């Protein structure tokens, strides 16, 4: 799968999956595929606001962004816990828009298309 992909989107991207990707742990189909692909990586984080704010998670995101990963979100809103804050998964049309921008940025068929 990773060899044929034009891009890889992980949505939702949990704190655990983000940590595994940042540290090269391939113990699931998602993380194995992400480690095996040369396609651009997009992540749509979704978790509790306190988890998203944690310094360890932010360091993992910084590491992935430094390697070219695109973040699609998160956004503020009602979370699975019932609380409200930053950590909500972006709406699917917005995630698709971010993925389209990623494909255009990397010279795919959608490059310079509006």
């Amino acid at each position: 799968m990773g060899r044929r992909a034009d891009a890889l989107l992980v949505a939702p991207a949990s704190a655990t999956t983000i940590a595994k990707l940042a540290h090269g742990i391939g113990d699931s189909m998602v993380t194995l595929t992400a480690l095996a692909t040369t396609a651009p990586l997009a992540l749509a984080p979704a978790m509790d606001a306190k988890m998203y704010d944690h310094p360890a998670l932010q360091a993992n995101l910084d590491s992935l962004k430094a390697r070219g990963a695109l973040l699609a979100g998160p956004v503020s809103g009602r979370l699975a816990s019932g609380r409200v804050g930053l950590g909500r998964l972006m709406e699917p049309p917005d995630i698709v828009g971010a993925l389209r921008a990623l494909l255009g940025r990397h010279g795919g068929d959608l490059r310079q298309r509006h």
Side-chain angles (χ1 to χ4, degrees):
M1 280 188 291
R3 292 187 192 134
R4 294 190 319 250
D6 293 320
L8 178 64
L9 168 66
V10 180
S14 68
T16 301
T17 299
I18 290 167
K20 288 178 180 185
L21 291 174
H23 295 281
I25 299 170
D27 65 351
S28 70
M29 278 301 284
V30 171
T31 56
L32 282 170
T33 303
L35 293 173
T37 190
T38 57
L41 175 66
L43 303 168
M47 64 202 70
D48 185 75
K50 295 290 184 192
M51 292 171 71
Y52 186 74
D53 288 338
H54 196 280
L57 180 84
Q58 291 301 312
N60 289 334
L61 289 173
D62 289 343
S63 173
L64 290 167
K65 288 189 289 189
R67 287 185 260 156
L70 171 80
L71 291 186
V75 296
S76 291
R78 184 163 300 282
L79 306 170
S81 64
R83 296 186 171 131
V84 175
L86 182 62
R88 181 177 174 85
L89 182 68
M90 287 179 79
E91 292 299 319
D94 297 328
I95 295 172
V96 170
L99 186 58
R100 291 174 78 184
L102 177 66
L103 287 169
R105 184 171 69 186
H106 285 272
D109 293 340
L110 299 176
R111 187 178 181 129
Q112 298 181 352
R113 292 194 174 230
H114 301 280

